[in-house]
Amino acid sequence: MTDSLASLVSSRLRDIPDFPAPGVLFKDFTPLLADPRAFAAVVDDTAARYRGRVDAVVGIEARGFMIGAATAYALGVGFVPVRKQGKLPAETESAEYSLEYGTATIEIHRDAFAPGARVLVMDDVIATGGTLVATCDLVERLGGKIAGVEVVVEIASLGGRATLGGRPLTSMLLV
Ligand code: PRP
Ligand code: MG
């Protein structure tokens, strides 16, 4: 990751205090998506690092769809959605993960990719890491190999990187 890409990303994020709950400082990346140069820079940088090395991109509902689908297109590989419970129509594999209060469940289609597929997992933000760990578990349960985990923003103080247990994580910006 170059310093100039990190500063471009940083300039296209905005902090929204008290969203979605009081005390949370939300990192909104919609200005980055709306800027064609910044959006392309993020997608092209990621795609360049994985070209020829992955068979599928997995994106996590909802914001992981936005960058994940664009990156899959840039790489010329398929896109696989990981969705919140009850949204995928065919047979699914499920994983539960912790939220600040309670738990949530995400799902993937059982036939999403062939066993042995090299998979790039993408989301907008890693905070506690719960969402990404659950997603990586689903990919591995289906026989996929995690080629990389890519996020735009890593909230370092919440320690998500350590929860990934050595799966290779790259973030465009540490906050
Ligand atoms: C946010 C964010 C990541 C996740 C990170 O998604 O987009 O997916 O939280 O948190 P974690 O590292 O602590 O698991 P959210 O669950 O708010 O859903 P959304 O993307 O559908 O809005
Ligand atoms: Mg999310």
Side-chain angles (χ1 to χ4, degrees), residues 83-160:
R83 297 209 62 179
K84 309 266 164 81
Q85 190 168 34
K87 298 289 187 181
L88 287 171
E91 273 191 44
T92 57
E93 200 66 39
S94 309
E96 201 177 79
Y97 60 102
S98 297
L99 296 171
E100 204 172 349
Y101 299 103
T103 60
T105 300
I106 50 172
E107 297 180 333
I108 192 168
H109 274 147
R110 285 207 171 126
D111 61 356
F113 49 78
R118 299 162 301 167
V119 174
L120 168 61
V121 176
M122 296 189 75
D123 205 356
D124 61 331
V125 173
I126 182 166
T128 66
T131 308
L132 274 164
V133 169
T135 299
C136 289
D137 287 348
L138 287 176
V139 167
E140 288 165 354
R141 255 194 263 161
L142 296 183
K145 298 197 184 342
I146 306 290
V149 178
E150 292 277 328
V151 296
V152 178
V153 179
E154 177 178 359
I155 303 174
S157 59
L158 296 178

Side-chain angles (χ1 to χ4, degrees), residues 42-116:
V42 165
V43 170
D44 291 347
D45 179 81
T46 306
R49 285 180 285 110
Y50 288 93
R51 189 153 284 118
R53 295 184 44 224
V54 295
D55 303 305
V57 176
V58 164
I60 305 171
E61 184 176 0
R63 290 179 285 266
F65 290 176
M66 300 164 192
I67 43 170
T71 304
Y73 180 81
L75 283 167
V77 301
F79 175 76
V80 172
V82 161
R83 297 209 62 179
K84 309 266 164 81
Q85 190 168 34
K87 298 289 187 181
L88 287 171
E91 273 191 44
T92 57
E93 200 66 39
S94 309
E96 201 177 79
Y97 60 102
S98 297
L99 296 171
E100 204 172 349
Y101 299 103
T103 60
T105 300
I106 50 172
E107 297 180 333
I108 192 168
H109 274 147
R110 285 207 171 126
D111 61 356
F113 49 78

Side-chain angles (χ1 to χ4, degrees), residues 8-17 19-20 24-34 63 66 124-125 152-153 155 173 175:
L8 178 61
V9 167
S10 175
S11 71
R12 297 297 185 274
L13 294 175
R14 63 181 169 189
D15 289 347
I16 311 286
F19 184 88
V24 176
L25 184 63
F26 187 86
K27 296 286 176 189
D28 176 28
F29 83 153
T30 60
L32 187 154
L33 298 175
R63 290 179 285 266
M66 300 164 192
D124 61 331
V125 173
V152 178
V153 179
I155 303 174
L173 187 70
V175 298

